[in-house]
Amino acid sequence: MYTYYGEGDESVEGFPPDEEPIDPYFVEARVETDSSEIAEIEAFVDNVAIHPPRFEDGLSVRYYFDASGIDEPEGLTVDVYYDQTDAQPGQAAEVVGPGPYDESGDVYYVEFDYSGIQIAG
């Protein structure tokens, strides 16, 4: 094509423009059960396939909640009923928390840490 139509053309400076980085991961979550005794959350970590196949390491997910009506939020227990990475022995997420997020003491979080686990992304 250059031979027929492009002779003498020069490239346009700054074209194409750099693309903004895209975070290919997002979380979908919903409340399954919510009562005065239990809160059951279902969460899915999804990715948009914008990169060639590769393994990711160091992913984590946090669930934030309002603990203003709870006397001892640190005493809450977190049970994981299903973790897809746990299908391989020793590959389950590490559950961290609950712990305070801010100084007000009303917002807490639980973190599911997948560091050291190779996840196809």
Side-chain angles (χ1 to χ4, degrees):
M1 296 283 298
Y2 179 79
T3 303
Y4 298 110
Y5 303 107
E7 194 170 325
D9 287 350
E10 294 181 17
S11 61
V12 177
E13 188 175 323
F15 186 84
D18 293 336
E19 294 182 12
E20 293 291 323
I22 298 172
D23 186 0
Y25 297 95
F26 62 95
V27 177
E28 294 179 279
R30 67 178 180 206
V31 177
E32 288 287 318
T33 306
D34 188 16
S35 70
S36 61
E37 298 164 2
I38 187 172
E40 184 178 347
I41 310 301
E42 184 176 56
F44 298 94
V45 178
D46 296 314
N47 74 323
V48 179
I50 60 172
H51 301 290
R54 63 176 190 243
F55 286 106
E56 296 284 355
D57 183 11
L59 296 176
S60 65
V61 174
R62 282 188 174 183
Y63 174 74
Y64 296 88
F65 61 95
D66 180 1
S68 58
I70 302 172
D71 292 334
E72 296 180 33
E74 291 89 357
L76 296 174
T77 59
V78 178
D79 296 321
V80 178
Y81 296 121
Y82 178 76
D83 182 351
Q84 185 173 347
T85 62
D86 196 23
Q88 300 293 320
Q91 297 293 309
E94 177 186 358
V95 179
V96 179
Y101 172 69
D102 61 5
E103 293 179 16
S104 73
D106 291 340
V107 179
Y108 274 67
Y109 72 91
V110 175
E111 184 173 30
F112 302 90
D113 187 2
Y114 292 93
S115 294
I117 299 173
Q118 296 291 311
I119 297 175

